[in-house]
Amino acid sequence: MICIANKNIYANTKFNVERKSMKIYDKLDISDIITTDSNNLKYSSSNKNIATIDENGIITTHGLGEFTITVSDEDSTDSCVFSSGYFVGIDVSSWNDTVDWAKVKSQGIDFAMIRAAFGWYDEVADADKEYDFQYDKQFLNNIRGATENNVSFGIYHYAYATNVEEAKMEAEYVLNAINNYGSEYKDSMTLPIAYDIED
């Protein structure tokens, strides 16, 4: 006896990203971010107040928030988290060691803020140290990785200044970090320089 299955046993549908950001009132064809060999896809949105998806796989956002799109075929189901009206970013520094920028991109991270330096070089107090000892040790690796993986980035300086004069020295220090270590990639920077005041 021979049995013939009606469904495509090889069908497999998979999102190419883990998350995706959209603007409010934007549209996205789901085929732009999935791979599939199925002709029988079904779609659903976890929150139709924020976004809907029609029978052709076109997502339309309606409001601010987060939602999940689920795509099913004969043999598989996959989901992707979306944000509507805001973008998802990370900040990185030498505390994160070596960042896997290809993974950052595949996870749908929209942008990164990369630490360039912290504090400033005091010619008297720091005379026994190299001028660049407060440049972030992963700065060059991070701006190179973000550039090569098309992740939008800006940079930040971690502030220790307690007065205007010290703040001016920090501003000069971060510009020197960019020019000394990041000049090759500074034209790839699409976001501004941020001044991180925590202490």
Side-chain angles (χ1 to χ4, degrees):
M1 182 167 132
I2 299 174
C3 294
I4 300 174
N6 289 329
K7 67 180 183 177
N8 177 4
I9 62 171
Y10 302 109
N12 186 31
T13 301
K14 196 86 176 145
F15 279 97
N16 299 324
V17 294
E18 293 181 27
R19 68 172 301 120
K20 179 79 175 161
S21 298
M22 297 175 65
K23 297 176 183 174
I24 299 177
Y25 308 118
D26 205 0
K27 290 185 183 291
L28 175 72
D29 187 335
I30 201 77
S31 66
D32 291 343
I33 58 170
I34 61 170
T35 54
T36 186
D37 46 14
S38 174
N39 294 321
N40 187 24
L41 297 178
K42 294 181 180 167
Y43 313 100
S44 64
S45 169
S46 65
N47 190 329
K48 294 179 181 176
N49 292 323
I50 297 173
T52 54
I53 184 165
D54 67 18
E55 66 277 0
N56 297 312
I58 306 299
I59 301 170
T60 305
T61 54
H62 308 289
L64 177 69
E66 196 168 84
F67 60 97
T68 300
I69 294 293
T70 301
V71 180
S72 303
D73 60 28
E74 299 89 343
D75 299 307
S76 62
T77 299
D78 199 17
S79 298
C80 183
V81 176
F82 288 76
S83 60
S84 172
Y86 64 91
F87 297 96
V88 176
I90 57 173
D91 76 87
V92 296
S93 70
S94 57
W95 292 105
N96 303 105
D97 290 324
T98 302
V99 175
D100 183 341
W101 286 98
K103 186 175 182 181
V104 168
K105 182 69 174 180
S106 73
Q107 289 177 334
I109 299 299
D110 297 305
F111 69 93
M113 294 301 291
I114 298 170
R115 186 174 77 165
F118 55 95
W120 71 94
Y121 183 82
D122 185 318
E123 291 181 2
V124 176
D126 301 323
D128 61 330
K129 299 173 183 167
E130 296 291 326
Y131 177 79
D132 63 356
F133 82 103
Q134 289 182 180
Y135 292 174
D136 190 286
K137 301 301 182 225
Q138 291 292 334
F139 178 52
L140 178 58
N141 289 336
N142 283 330
I143 59 175
R144 180 190 299 123
T147 300
E148 291 174 352
N149 289 278
N150 296 314
V151 176
S152 295
F153 72 93
I155 64 168
Y156 72 94
H157 181 84
Y158 192 100
Y160 287 102
T162 58
N163 56 51
V164 173
E165 287 308 311
E166 290 174 355
K168 288 178 180 177
M169 287 189 285
E170 288 192 336
E172 182 179 335
Y173 197 69
V174 72
L175 292 175
N176 287 335
I178 297 166
N179 290 325
N180 292 338
Y181 283 87
S183 60
E184 182 181 351
Y185 300 100
K186 68 181 180 182
D187 289 340
S188 301
M189 188 171 68
T190 56
L191 299 173
I193 299 171
Y195 193 57
D196 183 6
I197 303 171
E198 296 185 35
D199 293 332

